[in-house]
Amino acid sequence: MHLLLTDRLTCPRCGPTFGLILRADELEERRIESGVLGCPNCREAYPIDQGVGDLRPAPRTELPDTSVPAQPDAGEVETAQALLGLGGELGLTPGVAQTVLTEAVGHLARGLSERLDDLEVVVVGADARPHPGPSWSRLVTDGTLPFHEATVRGVLIAGAEMERWVASAARVVAPRSRVVVLDPPPDAAARLEEAGLALRLDATEAVVAERSPGARTLSPGVAPLSGPR
């Protein structure tokens, strides 16, 4: 887990206005291998083990180990990058900023981080435990994205997972940043608009919505993850 990412995390039990405090037990090249994230409000302690942050409330079941995901098709990665608006022909300069991928599209993390040298990708899921890589972090949650509001540069969701993630995705995405749903269900566009996002693309393959620059936030002054690795 990237050290700077911990400043952006919030307590899943207490809500988005309660940040977490880090105790790093093992740190290597600005990445936390083991430690604890603690909530000063409810006193819950969330462990970090083998670089994976487990933000499920106690009691926690043991997480299964899984193999390192295979390299995805280059075209699939390129499409995800374009839909998220990260670098390339869209003229946006990539930086060290968290782009969140939910579990079913987590296999794209490796490809995105290799295409964009300074992009930090965060894979979030409910139970599986892919090994984190050199440019992506892994969080396990119970179905919410535990970030301060309007601080995430982009969120990529598989249509089959939309029901679980859409509300928190709309909350955490930053102004002028996008929520992308791949293989969307029929009501995807309407759901994103109901969540307060502006529709950018409504197609069979993907739906893209963006947070408007003037949209109200609950976490003013909390910037997206930035700075040196």
Side-chain angles (χ1 to χ4, degrees), residues 93-115:
T93 302
V96 182
Q98 72 269 39
T99 295
V100 176
L101 278 59
T102 59
E103 195 168 291
V105 291
H107 64 287
L108 298 173
R110 178 179 173 184
L112 285 171
S113 63
E114 288 177 352
R115 286 178 64 88

Side-chain angles (χ1 to χ4, degrees), residues 2 19 21 31 79 90 101 116 126 129 140 144 157 161 176:
H2 195 289
I21 298 173
R31 306 196 76 85
T79 297
L90 296 178
L101 278 59
L116 302 168
R129 186 176 183 166
V140 180
T144 61
I157 306 172
E161 297 180 303
R176 295 191 177 92

Side-chain angles (χ1 to χ4, degrees), residues 60-153:
R60 302 175 184 89
T61 57
E62 185 175 351
L63 294 171
D65 288 320
T66 59
S67 59
V68 177
Q71 179 70 33
D73 177 80
E76 189 179 8
V77 176
E78 184 177 2
T79 297
Q81 177 189 344
L83 290 172
L84 286 164
L86 300 172
E89 69 281 0
L90 296 178
L92 299 178
T93 302
V96 182
Q98 72 269 39
T99 295
V100 176
L101 278 59
T102 59
E103 195 168 291
V105 291
H107 64 287
L108 298 173
R110 178 179 173 184
L112 285 171
S113 63
E114 288 177 352
R115 286 178 64 88
L116 302 168
D117 291 340
D118 291 328
L119 182 70
E120 180 71 22
V121 180
V122 185
V123 180
V124 178
D127 49 24
R129 186 176 183 166
H131 298 280
S135 295
W136 72 88
S137 301
R138 182 72 170 93
L139 297 175
V140 180
T141 80
D142 59 357
T144 61
L145 300 181
F147 299 95
H148 287 290
E149 180 163 320
T151 57
V152 172
R153 186 164 180 171

Side-chain angles (χ1 to χ4, degrees), residues 7-90:
D7 292 337
R8 300 294 168 260
L9 298 177
T10 61
C11 179
R13 293 183 62 179
C14 299
T17 59
F18 293 92
L20 298 174
I21 298 173
L22 170 68
R23 188 195 75 204
D25 297 330
E26 184 180 356
L27 186 65
E28 184 176 343
E29 297 183 353
R30 299 179 68 80
R31 306 196 76 85
I32 307 159
E33 297 299 321
S34 65
V36 175
L37 291 162
C39 177
N41 185 57
C42 70
R43 307 297 180 182
E44 180 68 88
Y46 301 99
I48 303 171
D49 181 34
Q50 299 180 59
V52 178
D54 189 347
L55 272 69
R56 299 173 300 167
R60 302 175 184 89
T61 57
E62 185 175 351
L63 294 171
D65 288 320
T66 59
S67 59
V68 177
Q71 179 70 33
D73 177 80
E76 189 179 8
V77 176
E78 184 177 2
T79 297
Q81 177 189 344
L83 290 172
L84 286 164
L86 300 172
E89 69 281 0
L90 296 178

